[in-house]
Amino acid sequence: MMGRAVPAQVRLGDDVASALRAGRPVVALESAVITHGLPHPRNLEAAECMAEAVRAHGAIPAICLVDESLLWIGADMDRAASVARNPTREKASVRDVGSVIAMGGAAGLTVSATVFAAALAGIQVFATGGIGGVHAPFGSGDVSADLLQLSRSPVVTVCSGAKSVLDIPRTLEFLETVGVPVFGYRTPDFPGFYLSKSGVSVPMVSSPAEVARVAHAQWDLGLVAGLVLGNPIPAQERIADEEWDAWLQEAQRSAQRAQIQGKAVTPYLLDRVATLSAGRTVRANIALLESNATLAAEVAVALIA
Ligand code: PSU
Ligand code: MN
């Protein structure tokens, strides 16, 4: 993979640009989890952990965000921290990126916006916590832009499943409909974010090399869809089903009472479960982000080997 010309509104970090030019492994990192998913200052700690894990496993991290009318692919930690602290920062999915750039705003990028950015720069692997999907209750009409964009960007997305507040079977059905292959990493059960299992079976892959073979086979055919690789949360941080169900139900009740809607739903629920669990969900989230960053780096290395 060689670097490619990027549009004028895009800035590549120096180390990202030189790695891409030299064909060395790069891993894109999501920033909505930093700007909207985790409380300050644990969010910055999470960003550092992810970047460090990517470096420790032989790849260059590329935090993707919007700031000062530019789409940054490989923002440095100072810029990430300044966007995270900006009180007017937005959570941008792929449809919002153009308008935030045009208006001179700042934004953390969701999975949909990050896989778009990664593909634009020629980055083939991306690490996040959980992808968006089909919200429960079915019929609410809330389906994340992540799902369609995953079918349009040839990037391996390493995650610990879909966001814990979603309808997982319907999310996986949607990915099938739009042609996105989904795998479990060393597990036949799609991971359940804070829980190790979601209860839905997926094909299993057991090494970064195997993931790389599948990705090459698919992309060499000219298929543009990305791959979703579900990596279970590290065992010592996983949360028991009953505990999680209780916190989630309570959080959903208060979201309903407060009439939270649209893209505010996820940040609101995450904030509520963090409080209800006395911080356990935050710790679990950071642990899985770090573990996903590690696996993503290994896959990026394997893709180039
Ligand atoms: N999963 C989490 N925390 C998050 C997200 C997912 O545990 O903050 C973010 C990701 O950026 C994902 C986005 O792309 O939520 C999906 O949001 P929506 O449902 O509004 O599309
Ligand atoms: Mn949504």
Side-chain angles (χ1 to χ4, degrees):
M1 162 190 49
M2 289 306 187
R4 58 181 69 167
V6 294
Q9 313 94 307
V10 173
R11 279 292 174 282
L12 299 184
D14 290 343
D15 47 354
V16 170
S18 54
L20 289 171
R21 264 196 309 273
R24 288 197 307 270
V26 178
V27 171
L29 300 176
E30 190 213 300
S31 56
V33 65
I34 305 167
T35 57
H36 291 79
L38 290 166
H40 196 82
R42 309 285 323 264
N43 56 345
L44 301 180
E45 209 180 292
E48 300 266 11
C49 278
M50 289 184 89
E52 201 33 61
V54 169
R55 282 207 181 84
H57 293 83
I60 299 292
I63 296 179
C64 299
L65 49 78
V66 174
D67 194 26
E68 298 185 307
S69 296
L70 292 167
L71 170 57
W72 292 85
I73 301 175
D76 61 26
M77 250 348 133
D78 289 345
R79 185 175 297 278
S82 120
V83 171
R85 277 195 292 263
N86 183 334
T88 65
R89 73 194 183 280
E90 295 177 47
K91 167 185 158 187
S93 75
V94 69
R95 71 155 180 190
D96 306 309
V97 173
S99 73
V100 181
I101 289 174
M103 303 302 180
L109 305 188
T110 68
V111 169
S112 68
T114 313
V115 289
F116 166 78
L120 193 63
I123 298 171
Q124 295 176 306
V125 187
F126 160 52
T128 184
I131 58 173
V134 180
H135 279 257
F138 187 60
S140 69
D142 188 348
V143 178
S144 177
D146 293 354
L147 300 184
L148 207 51
Q149 193 60 41
L150 286 167
S151 75
R152 295 174 171 161
S153 302
V155 172
V156 176
T157 291
V158 181
C159 61
S160 293
K163 286 190 304 192
S164 37
V165 298
L166 300 173
D167 181 328
I168 305 303
R170 287 196 164 99
T171 297
L172 294 179
E173 287 292 346
F174 192 106
L175 287 172
E176 180 186 342
T177 301
V178 296
V180 176
V182 179
F183 298 95
Y185 188 67
R186 297 183 176 159
T187 170
D189 196 313
F190 192 62
F193 201 73
Y194 301 121
L195 323 175
S196 50
K197 298 174 178 189
S198 68
V200 183
S201 297
V202 289
M204 181 164 83
V205 286
S206 36
S207 68
E210 201 178 339
V211 177
R213 273 203 307 280
V214 175
H216 279 309
Q218 150 132 350
W219 297 334
D220 288 352
L221 288 171
L223 291 165
V224 296
L227 269 60
V228 171
L229 181 59
N231 182 33
I233 182 170
Q236 65 280 13
E237 291 295 342
R238 74 174 168 231
I239 290 170
D241 295 27
E242 317 74 60
E243 266 181 315
W244 169 249
D245 289 344
W247 298 331
L248 177 60
Q249 278 170 26
E250 177 63 39
Q252 278 168 333
R253 276 195 295 272
S254 61
Q256 227 157 30
R257 277 198 301 272
Q259 300 186 342
I260 307 297
Q261 282 169 344
K263 64 185 182 182
V265 171
T266 301
Y268 181 89
L269 292 176
L270 290 174
D271 181 61
R272 286 296 302 149
V273 295
T275 307
L276 291 165
S277 69
R280 287 243 334 265
T281 56
V282 173
R283 235 179 48 215
N285 208 336
I286 294 175
L288 65 85
L289 285 166
E290 188 175 359
S291 149
N292 294 344
T294 297
L295 179 56
E298 292 170 348
V299 171
V301 169
L303 270 165
I304 277 168

